[in-house]
Amino acid sequence: MKKTPALHAVALAACAFTSAHAADLGNGVTVDVSGYGTVAATTTNNDQLEFRSKASRSKGVGQSIDLGNDSRFGIQAVVKFNADLSVTGQLVGQRRMTGAEDADFGRDKDFDPQVEWLYAQYNALPSLNLRLGRVVLPAFLLSDSLNVGYAAPWLRAPLHLYSSQLMSNLDGVQANWRDSFGGVNLSAQATYGKAEAYGVLPHLGAFHIDSKDTYAFSATAEYRDWTARVGTVRLNTPFTGIPGIEPTIHDKYVSAGLQYDNGSALVLAEWAKRTQNAMPFVGKVIEGKYAYVAAGWRFGSVLPMVIWSKADNEMMGGSDKTHPSSVGVSLRYDVAPNIALKAQIDQYKANDPEAFVTPDATSQHKVSVFSLGADFVF
């Protein structure tokens, strides 16, 4: 497996890795079409609980083999009008909850294609580009390329941290700056707009988040084999859970990530903290701290890894506290320049509110999750 630092993976994801199909439309206008996908089978050793790879889903997998839990498909087109102006569109199909306007709200569709990105980009300076439209919400270190399984060393990203932020994009504006100073590559992202997401959690049931004012900022530094990133996201969402009162939830995330990748050793670690203001009568709906550490070593085209993940949650004003954790192992085998076979085994406790659709709140029983799949780009 070739070395793929976090920011390199982000750049690859932004253009879907390769321009597999390019066409000249005339007058200097070109279009590049490319894509990616993951086909994965997942099962568990417990038929009483449904494991889900995202907290935004109301359907999971038990002992029966499930192809929808971790599979997805994306296709992207980039239309370039000149060296400075382009339009990018990306469509992603995967399992997701139906919209709030749907009669089946609260239920998942096994394969639901939706527009993930659709933005115009203008390169204002060699080091600065501006985007307008639907753009990625850069919450964490790997958020920019999270859907592109081929860019990741594992089959499934650490659940507790990456499920803590349900939104993957927003409609608004984004500025991206990148430059180099003395051998250090620096970059920053500033994003503002409207974002929405759906989720299911114990005590809350199915819910819809519609943040009218969403702010995000991140800064990243790369030096040799090291990548470090800090970021923050601020959501402002009307709370409709109390009849006659509609206060606004101010949801704030701060995060830090670190990666070391020298071509043989690979280590990733991230930490995030989520805070909220108190709502009338119910207090703070949810707050938490999230972290993971993953480490592996490349043996030619094979990359085995060990992954540890942890969360500390407080819900409904602190009346419900959970401290889920997980440990897992993954294996990646690059069989071709654009295809990677992967296997992953994770172990969660039965009372984990992020991992299971309806957790067993009183059980410490451990549930094993087994996944086997292939990532590809074209």
Side-chain angles (χ1 to χ4, degrees):
M1 176 182 171
K2 295 181 180 180
K3 177 183 176 184
T4 309
L7 284 183
H8 183 50
V10 167
L12 292 175
C15 63
F17 294 93
T18 57
S19 297
H21 308 282
D24 188 343
L25 303 182
N27 297 319
V29 180
T30 62
V31 57
D32 295 330
V33 180
S34 52
Y36 59 87
T38 297
V39 178
T42 302
T43 186
T44 77
N45 65 346
N46 189 308
D47 207 30
Q48 304 301 311
L49 299 171
E50 290 188 37
F51 170 79
R52 57 186 179 175
S53 59
K54 297 182 179 180
S56 57
R57 294 176 178 172
S58 62
K59 180 180 179 180
V61 54
Q63 287 183 325
S64 299
I65 294 176
D66 185 284
L67 294 175
N69 197 66
D70 294 292
S71 298
R72 56 193 171 274
F73 180 82
I75 189 165
Q76 176 171 294
V78 180
V79 180
K80 296 182 179 179
F81 297 95
N82 52 50
D84 295 323
L85 183 62
S86 64
V87 173
T88 297
Q90 185 181 115
L91 190 71
V92 177
Q94 60 183 335
R95 177 177 292 173
R96 66 177 92 225
M97 187 183 295
T98 57
E101 70 285 351
D102 197 302
D104 291 329
F105 174 59
R107 300 178 61 184
D108 285 1
K109 293 182 179 179
D110 279 334
F111 186 79
D112 185 17
Q114 292 188 14
V115 176
E116 185 71 15
W117 297 347
L118 183 58
Y119 60 83
Q121 176 172 307
Y122 176 66
N123 299 323
L125 298 169
S127 59
L128 175 67
N129 67 64
L130 305 174
R131 295 174 178 176
L132 175 65
R134 178 165 295 180
V135 298
V136 67
L137 178 60
F140 305 120
L141 179 65
L142 304 179
S143 293
D144 287 44
S145 58
L146 192 60
N147 282 324
V148 187
Y150 186 83
W154 43 58
L155 189 148
R156 182 171 46 252
L159 178 67
H160 298 111
L161 185 138
Y162 279 94
S163 271
S164 70
Q165 171 53 265
L166 301 178
M167 299 169 177
S168 61
N169 56 42
L170 60 73
D171 297 331
V173 295
Q174 186 175 78
N176 297 276
W177 172 84
R178 184 175 179 84
D179 212 333
S180 298
F181 300 92
V184 180
N185 295 322
L186 299 176
S187 61
Q189 284 183 308
T191 309
Y192 171 78
K194 173 186 175 181
E196 65 176 333
Y198 303 90
V200 177
L201 285 173
H203 307 301
L204 293 178
F207 59 88
H208 175 219
I209 301 173
D210 188 5
S211 177
K212 304 297 183 182
D213 294 297
T214 302
Y215 307 82
F217 178 80
S218 65
T220 304
E222 294 178 283
Y223 179 69
R224 296 183 178 178
D225 301 326
W226 293 91
T227 299
R229 180 190 184 277
V230 293
T232 184
V233 176
R234 177 74 177 264
L235 310 174
N236 298 286
T237 307
F239 181 70
T240 58
I242 304 173
I245 302 177
E246 290 193 6
T248 298
I249 297 178
H250 302 296
D251 211 353
K252 183 179 180 180
Y253 294 79
V254 293
S255 63
L258 184 67
Q259 175 179 282
Y260 175 78
D261 187 349
N262 67 358
S264 296
L266 174 63
V267 180
L268 295 113
E270 286 192 81
W271 170 91
K273 183 179 180 180
R274 180 182 188 180
T275 57
Q276 289 184 349
N277 57 318
M279 293 293 96
F281 309 116
V282 299
K284 299 178 181 181
V285 178
I286 181 171
E287 287 194 323
K289 296 178 182 178
Y290 316 92
Y292 76 85
V293 178
W297 189 275
R298 296 185 180 92
F299 300 90
S301 298
V302 178
L303 171 62
M305 294 194 74
V306 177
I307 308 162
W308 172 86
S309 177
K310 181 76 167 65
D312 293 298
N313 292 312
E314 291 190 9
M315 292 182 282
M316 307 311 290
S319 61
D320 184 16
K321 298 181 180 182
T322 61
H323 308 282
S325 64
S326 68
V327 62
V329 292
S330 68
L331 184 69
R332 172 177 178 145
Y333 174 44
D334 286 76
V335 297
N338 63 334
I339 301 175
L341 302 180
K342 295 181 181 179
Q344 188 160 327
I345 302 174
D346 294 308
Q347 195 170 73
Y348 301 86
K349 291 182 180 179
N351 63 354
D352 192 324
E354 282 92 12
F356 300 105
V357 177
T358 307
D360 186 344
T362 62
S363 175
Q364 294 289 318
H365 178 72
K366 294 180 179 179
V367 179
S368 297
V369 180
F370 309 92
S371 300
L372 181 67
D375 294 322
F376 56 90
V377 293
F378 61 90

